[in-house]
Amino acid sequence: MLIRRMKLEISRRFTEIHELIIESRARAFRAVNKELIELYWKIGEYITDRVDQESWGKGVVRELAEYLKSTEPELMGFSALNLRSMKQIYEAYAEKEKLSPQVRE
């Protein structure tokens, strides 16, 4: 009984610290996600601009994916399919002034 009461008291004393850790971790995850989304947006924009300005062909996205894999082998999430998706999302929302910032949030 005494041990149980001591554990409960310890739990009460440290709950605030535990909540601070949880809140901080959640903010860190949101910040990382926001940065990743911004990166994906910029990559989509870059690919779209190059396709429009320099007549990049369909094979360039695959070449870019292979280049990224060869230069950064541990890098994940930058397959040709994912790069095409980044481009498509950028193209779908870039012209929509109200939605564009929200998509990147």
Side-chain angles (χ1 to χ4, degrees):
M1 188 72 149
L2 180 61
I3 293 175
R4 185 169 168 243
R5 212 175 10 217
M6 288 173 40
K7 285 183 180 181
L8 185 60
E9 180 60 31
I10 288 172
S11 177
R12 284 188 195 132
R13 288 190 324 198
F14 299 137
T15 299
E16 284 185 55
I17 296 296
H18 186 229
E19 288 172 1
L20 288 172
I21 292 168
I22 291 169
E23 290 169 10
S24 182
R25 185 183 301 146
R27 282 193 309 275
F29 284 139
R30 282 192 301 273
V32 168
N33 284 336
K34 184 176 179 184
E35 285 299 316
L36 284 174
I37 290 168
E38 187 68 28
L39 172 63
Y40 300 157
W41 182 267
K42 288 177 182 178
I43 289 171
E45 180 181 28
Y46 184 88
I47 293 170
T48 298
D49 289 347
R50 292 303 178 269
V51 167
D52 293 345
Q53 295 172 7
E54 299 176 20
S55 301
W56 276 14
K58 290 183 179 181
V60 164
V61 172
R62 182 183 41 78
E63 290 174 22
L64 174 58
E66 290 171 4
Y67 171 79
L68 291 173
K69 186 171 183 148
S70 70
T71 57
E72 297 280 342
E74 72 285 346
L75 194 61
M76 304 289 281
F78 295 92
S79 66
L81 180 63
N82 287 350
L83 293 170
R84 275 190 222 97
S85 294
M86 292 172 203
K87 179 181 181 292
Q88 290 170 341
I89 289 170
Y90 173 79
E91 291 172 346
Y93 293 102
E95 300 294 320
K96 296 175 173 70
E97 292 179 22
K98 289 185 179 180
L99 286 178
S100 177
Q102 292 175 354
V103 168
R104 292 184 278 178
E105 288 287 322

